[in-house]
Amino acid sequence: MATQTDGLSRESLGHLNYLRALMTQPRDAWEGFYQSLSPSMNFALRYQLAFSTYALAALAQRTPAYRAPYVEAITGAIEKMLRVEAWGYWRVAQQDGAPSEGGGALSSGHVAVLVSPHQRVAAGPPSDPIAQDNLQYSGHLSTMLGLYEKLSGDGRYDRPFTLLDPGSGASYRYTHSEVAARIYDQMRKNNFGGVCCEKGMAYVPCNNHALASNTLHDALHGTHYSRDNARWLQTVRDKLVLKGPALRGVFGTAYMKDLKLATPVAFNFTDAWGLAFMLPFDRPLVRKLYSKFKKRGVTQAGSEGAYIGSSTVSERMEISDVPINTGFGLVLARGIGDMALATNLHRYAVGAFDAGWDGNRYFYKGAPRTAHATALYALASAIEPGGASFTAMFNDVVDPAAQSTPYLAEVDAPGVVGVAKAEYDAQERALTFTLRQVGAPDALRAAKPVDAALTIGNIPTAVRIELDGVALGEHEYSRHGDILRLSATVSAAHDTLCVVRLT
């Protein structure tokens, strides 16, 4: 897998092509997505959309001067997240306290599915999925909106958008700030410092995304929501970390709000997800618990590598599966810097889950929840050992100059030619990017060079342009205001380096 200094590997570019194709389908098209049997559980559409967004945002960090395909794909993911197919599972009790037809609040939660796996979704229109509890949707949505604005500089979701159920006419209007504020207000009011993912139950993994909602909103809008993150993290330490032998696991699955206790049961899934996405917010706690996770969660498979196991019952009930568990484990291992385990997990996943190419798309074909699993492996591929960029993705304040510096705006050979690196060096006054043909190595050996049309923005002065060290004459590119256009021939045999120097 690629390191930060190497830019994006060919496989990571293949991940981008795969995720981008899924997310940019028409809003009402879901080809390639897993259709969950239990939309309240862990394989639902919202998770496939959210983790794809996190992967895209992490990949984009490797090419800070080339944002277009990532912004396009994340926009598509958000627009799908706003559709009723992603949030319409949510049913809560009526305002007067009478249970709604079909089971009331429990019909929307993990507990209901565990108690009665075949219970039908409550009748009637879906409830507001953001107003109260349901962090399993609102936490991801707020994080997605924050990552979009941080990457694009576009405040479109700071203006009102509508969650609409066309069938019933139910609609709920929000802005990014209103979603983030709902989450933060619940954290403040709850004495345990977190937010319930469903009625009365708060989970470690879900609340990581409440922490991310707070830090991203602070970074973008100057609030101070993240000051309260410590309250939930203290509850995790005091109430949710399981004591005793490693066999018990790391985290109690859920904090029961009314009883002020954690359930004494752990899953590899919630441990791996909980630890991986806690890294940006409480690295010392993750380090403290990591060895326990390895002892209990990691199964060594000899020369095949290692994996994070899941029971048949958990898969049947859509709690977890091995590809997804192992993907979270890989994010965790790379983020904490355990490259020996990361290598073993990656080796196992490539073989066991049939990672491979379909044209210029690279994904895990053998994973039953292909999009969900591939998103996690794509995310892991973008995290350098030690995970500094993973932490920065959720915490760092946006550089106000980032939107005004030279950047690569478009590569008109979509998917076929990828951008492995793209960055602007302000001191050198140079935009540098690397173009690479994308596809299976065997196919590329016979591939012909590809001509790519390039558009470069924010070029206020005269320039010197070099392609693979050869300076271009002024007749070989065109200028329209502060936009440059040129073409580059990209060989399948080697990368093409372009340098644009302001003079």
Side-chain angles (χ1 to χ4, degrees), residues 44-82:
L45 291 171
R46 61 189 174 279
Y47 299 113
Q48 298 170 65
L49 295 168
F51 288 108
S52 293
T53 296
Y54 307 150
L56 289 160
L59 292 167
Q61 289 184 297
R62 296 291 191 91
T63 63
Y66 180 56
R67 301 180 291 272
Y70 306 98
V71 171
E72 178 193 27
I74 291 174
T75 301
I78 290 171
E79 291 301 309
K80 286 182 174 296
M81 192 74 161
L82 300 182

Side-chain angles (χ1 to χ4, degrees), residues 232-316:
W232 165 252
L233 291 168
Q234 191 60 51
T235 295
V236 173
R237 282 179 163 82
D238 294 343
K239 302 288 188 179
L240 281 150
V241 173
L242 295 175
K243 307 300 191 291
L247 185 63
R248 295 193 67 202
V250 177
F251 297 123
T253 304
Y255 179 79
M256 298 176 286
K257 177 181 178 180
D258 295 336
L259 296 178
K260 300 182 180 180
L261 294 172
T263 54
V265 177
F267 292 95
N268 282 343
F269 173 78
T270 46
D271 283 351
W273 174 9
L275 289 169
F277 277 78
M278 191 180 287
L279 268 172
F281 311 107
D282 197 338
R283 180 171 290 269
L285 179 58
V286 176
R287 284 198 174 279
K288 180 180 178 181
L289 299 173
Y290 183 67
S291 61
K292 186 175 185 180
F293 169 76
K294 286 180 66 174
K295 290 177 184 176
R296 195 255 189 174
V298 177
T299 299
Q300 299 293 337
S303 62
E304 294 179 356
Y307 63 90
I308 312 298
S310 175
S311 70
T312 302
V313 172
S314 290
E315 182 161 347
R316 187 182 307 125

Side-chain angles (χ1 to χ4, degrees), residues 11 14 59 64 100 180 230 269 334 367 395 415 435 450:
E11 287 77 12
L59 292 167
S100 59
F269 173 78
R334 287 189 66 85
N395 289 280
L435 306 175
V450 174

Side-chain angles (χ1 to χ4, degrees), residues 96-249:
D96 60 7
S100 59
E101 183 182 349
L106 279 183
S107 65
S108 295
H110 288 66
V111 173
V113 175
L114 293 171
V115 172
S116 181
H118 305 294
Q119 177 177 294
R120 294 182 179 179
V121 174
S127 304
D128 184 338
I130 292 168
Q132 182 72 25
D133 302 333
N134 199 24
L135 188 63
Q136 59 184 307
Y137 176 77
S138 63
H140 289 293
L141 176 61
S142 184
T143 302
M144 293 167 72
L145 297 175
L147 289 172
Y148 169 83
E149 185 173 347
K150 189 174 185 181
L151 179 61
S152 68
D154 178 12
R156 64 188 290 182
Y157 296 108
D158 293 327
R159 300 183 290 275
F161 54 83
T162 300
L163 302 169
L164 172 66
D165 174 24
S168 68
S171 65
Y172 309 101
R173 202 171 190 227
Y174 281 95
T175 64
H176 172 210
S177 287
E178 289 169 344
V179 177
R182 288 274 190 172
I183 293 169
Y184 173 67
D185 288 345
Q186 291 175 80
M187 293 180 75
R188 291 276 292 173
K189 291 174 182 175
N190 286 330
N191 58 16
F192 60 91
V195 182
C196 288
C197 306
E198 55 199 58
K199 186 174 177 60
M201 309 289 280
Y203 298 81
V204 171
C206 290
N207 273 275
N208 285 333
H209 303 286
L211 307 183
S213 171
N214 286 345
T215 58
L216 283 165
H217 197 269
D218 287 356
L220 292 162
H221 296 282
T223 50
H224 302 288
Y225 293 169
S226 60
R227 291 177 179 174
D228 279 80
N229 286 358
R231 293 180 61 237
W232 165 252
L233 291 168
Q234 191 60 51
T235 295
V236 173
R237 282 179 163 82
D238 294 343
K239 302 288 188 179
L240 281 150
V241 173
L242 295 175
K243 307 300 191 291
L247 185 63
R248 295 193 67 202

